[in-house]
Amino acid sequence: MALSKLQKVAILVAIPIIIGLLPAPDGLPLIAWRLFGIYLATIVGLVIKPYGEPVILLAAVAASSVVIGNTAGAGELVKVSQTLSGYQSGTTWLIFTAFTLSSAFVITGLGKRIAYHMIGWLGSTTLRLGYVTMFLDLLLSPATPSNTARAGGIIFPIINSIAVALGSTPNETPKKAGRYLLMNVYMVVKTTSYIFLTAMAPNALALSLMAPILGFNLDWIHWFLAASVPGLLCLFLIPLVGYIICPPELKEVDNKEIARKGLEELGPMKFREKALIVLFIGALFCWIFANVLNVNATTVALTVMVLCIILNIVAWDDILKNKAGWNTLIWYGGIIGMSSILDKAGFFKWLATTFETYLNFDGHGNIALMVILFISVAVRYLFASGGAYVAAMVPVFATVGKVAGAPVELLALGLLFTNSYGGSVTHYGGGPGPITFGAGYNDIKSWWATGAVIAFGSLLIHCTVGILWWKFLIGAGWL
């Protein structure tokens, strides 16, 4: 039976109260124990969702401030002002400003124009259309931290209309083309989302939550280097794997006519689209060569956002209407700030000590690494939100792996990437899932079967090819 909003709120209020009334475990400061109660309620709130993520996190930040101010001795470990430290994070603002580029591709129509050109060049078969989706998503992903906007706002409408144009409808002929094409949209976006730091908002969140625990951090180019070999290998296999598991009945496609009609509707390329191409390429260039140019990735994103407004590519009103960007700014900044005060209060240090006492892999750190990565994918069956998964599980997996002796760099990279492709296992594992599944072409059985093959197949590739590649990068001093 579904819980009412009032019941959900009652659960969230009860969690920190009950924990606060219980004595703190040995070795854990009282303030850390009370803050953990609020953090746990926050994670539960992100899962059961009585309100949207920003409301839950603002409430959690406010509650944390009250608890810090009313706990004796708390000021020696953490300050009230530090609850807002997540909003000072460069990664939070990097993701927020990158949302401007994301919305610009939709507003100007440039995303659709690129898609139709790709369809005209490559999409002569259904399988090739699967690869058109893959190339388009890969091209757009560095500048679209909302994979829901990327897959749902740009790619899905195009691919859905193509399926209909090919005579494939959800009720009568889903297997003709639509089942494969729409499923492929989701499976592809869950892989492109971890190839670039800015391709999915939870990437930066996972990195921020993990950094104080593992002492490991990455910039934009080193993230791409680490993800490139295993990620691109998985990406190039996904359209083929989906084609084999759910083969479409239609093989040949009149791609030239589809592209002609699409481009005709868009009309000639406008100044805003041309300017956006220049800014997009410029942003990529600066992110890639940030160290050489001595520029900060967040500064680049802010500069591009301002230029988009000045050049009238987007208006300030468009940015104000971009709810996904503002929501991300509020709740990601909040969760990063809460993680930061938990760390300063000594919670993660105590958690590591506790796990070290009861968890023992007898020095087999590599086995611990494989077990944790496997669980990190399997547990995604329980989460309908990538952000909720990151907030709830990444600090735990990072702590467990560290005390179990797993190689820190390999553990960090493995967890950063399972965060995204692990969501392939279900049709609710990420924002684009309900959109593509909701088109009506797919059934749960075929979707979950394909998702399991892709998610655990990706895990296998990352635990073999990926680990070899990461060891090479570490040995060469490139990470």
Side-chain angles (χ1 to χ4, degrees):
M1 184 179 68
L3 295 172
S4 68
K5 178 181 285 190
L6 183 60
Q7 289 173 320
K8 292 177 180 179
V9 172
I11 290 171
L12 300 190
V13 172
I15 291 173
I17 291 176
I18 292 172
I19 290 178
L21 292 174
L22 295 173
D26 291 340
L28 184 66
L30 179 60
I31 182 59
W33 179 237
R34 291 179 174 177
L35 289 174
F36 166 70
I38 297 172
Y39 189 82
L40 181 60
T42 302
I43 301 306
V44 173
L46 294 177
V47 174
I48 64 176
K49 293 184 178 178
Y51 299 100
E53 289 93 340
V55 175
I56 292 170
L57 262 300
L58 285 175
V61 168
S64 298
S65 300
V66 171
V67 166
I68 292 170
N70 289 276
T71 301
E76 299 175 8
L77 295 172
V78 60
K79 309 295 183 184
V80 171
S81 60
Q82 290 171 336
T83 59
L84 299 174
S85 62
Y87 299 109
Q88 300 172 355
S89 169
T91 53
T92 302
W93 285 94
L94 169 63
I95 296 302
F96 169 73
T97 51
F99 268 96
T100 302
L101 270 178
S102 175
S103 62
F105 275 97
V106 177
I107 292 168
T108 63
L110 180 60
K112 285 186 176 181
R113 188 178 301 278
I114 294 170
Y116 283 122
H117 276 299
M118 285 186 169
I119 291 166
W121 295 333
L122 302 172
S124 57
T125 68
T126 317
L127 177 59
R128 286 191 172 193
L129 281 176
Y131 278 96
V132 167
T133 300
M134 182 269 288
F135 282 120
L136 176 61
D137 204 311
L138 182 64
L139 178 64
L140 297 177
S141 58
T144 45
S146 171
N147 58 11
T148 302
R150 184 166 75 248
I154 298 176
I155 300 172
F156 168 78
I158 297 170
I159 299 301
N160 191 46
S161 63
I162 288 173
V164 173
L166 295 176
S168 181
T169 58
N171 296 323
E172 287 81 19
T173 54
K175 294 182 180 180
K176 189 173 183 179
R179 176 166 294 183
Y180 164 68
L181 291 175
L182 272 298
M183 182 190 296
N184 185 64
V185 170
Y186 181 69
M187 299 305 169
V188 162
V189 78
K190 296 307 290 182
T191 295
T192 58
S193 291
Y194 69 83
I195 291 178
F196 302 97
L197 172 62
T198 47
M200 185 175 73
N203 290 343
L205 175 63
L207 192 60
S208 297
L209 295 180
M210 195 181 293
I213 300 170
L214 299 180
F216 183 84
N217 217 331
L218 291 171
D219 57 19
W220 194 92
I221 185 60
H222 288 103
W223 178 295
F224 171 69
L225 273 178
S228 60
V229 170
L232 292 175
L233 176 57
C234 291
L235 188 60
F236 278 95
L237 289 174
I238 283 173
L240 179 60
V241 170
Y243 191 85
I244 293 171
I245 298 175
C246 292
E249 296 168 350
L250 181 68
K251 309 299 180 184
E252 302 295 324
V253 176
D254 186 2
N255 60 308
K256 300 297 182 183
E257 180 62 16
I258 292 172
R260 185 191 67 77
K261 285 184 178 179
L263 291 171
E264 193 174 83
E265 289 178 5
L266 290 171
M269 182 176 278
K270 304 172 185 64
F271 167 78
R272 294 197 305 168
E273 294 176 77
K274 296 175 182 178
L276 180 57
I277 290 174
V278 173
L279 291 179
F280 176 50
I281 293 173
L284 286 181
F285 180 83
C286 290
W287 284 335
I288 292 170
F289 298 104
N291 290 336
V292 176
L293 298 173
N294 196 29
V295 295
N296 179 272
T298 305
T299 303
V300 172
L302 281 168
T303 302
V304 170
M305 183 179 78
V306 172
L307 288 173
C308 280
I309 298 171
I310 292 174
L311 296 174
N312 202 33
I313 297 171
V314 296
W316 178 247
D317 283 345
D318 294 322
I319 296 175
L320 291 177
K321 293 173 185 175
N322 189 355
K323 293 181 180 179
W326 291 104
N327 284 344
T328 299
L329 174 68
I330 296 299
W331 91 268
Y332 274 51
I335 199 72
I336 291 172
M338 290 196 65
S339 175
S340 175
I341 59 176
L342 269 178
D343 178 56
K344 292 182 184 299
F347 178 78
F348 292 119
K349 183 179 179 181
W350 169 83
L351 187 64
T353 304
T354 303
F355 278 131
E356 196 168 13
T357 303
Y358 297 103
L359 191 68
N360 187 8
F361 277 88
D362 293 325
H364 299 293
N366 288 326
I367 295 177
L369 173 65
M370 300 302 172
V371 170
I372 290 169
L373 293 184
F374 176 82
I375 295 174
S376 72
V377 173
V379 77
R380 289 306 302 274
Y381 282 103
L382 305 177
F383 285 89
S385 163
Y389 160 78
V390 169
M393 301 309 300
V394 164
V396 176
F397 285 142
T399 303
V400 170
K402 182 179 180 180
V403 302
V408 169
E409 295 89 350
L410 303 183
L411 174 67
L413 293 169
L415 288 175
L416 288 173
F417 303 148
T418 61
N419 160 38
S420 180
Y421 69 74
S424 302
V425 292
T426 68
H427 59 295
Y428 53 78
I435 297 173
T436 49
F437 186 81
Y441 285 96
N442 297 99
D443 60 277
I444 292 178
K445 181 180 178 181
S446 62
W447 187 291
W448 280 38
T450 305
V453 170
I454 288 175
F456 288 100
S458 297
L459 175 65
L460 179 62
I461 289 174
H462 282 74
C463 287
T464 52
V465 175
I467 285 178
L468 289 174
W469 173 239
W470 302 334
K471 286 183 176 179
F472 167 76
L473 291 177
I474 294 167
W478 293 349
L479 279 183

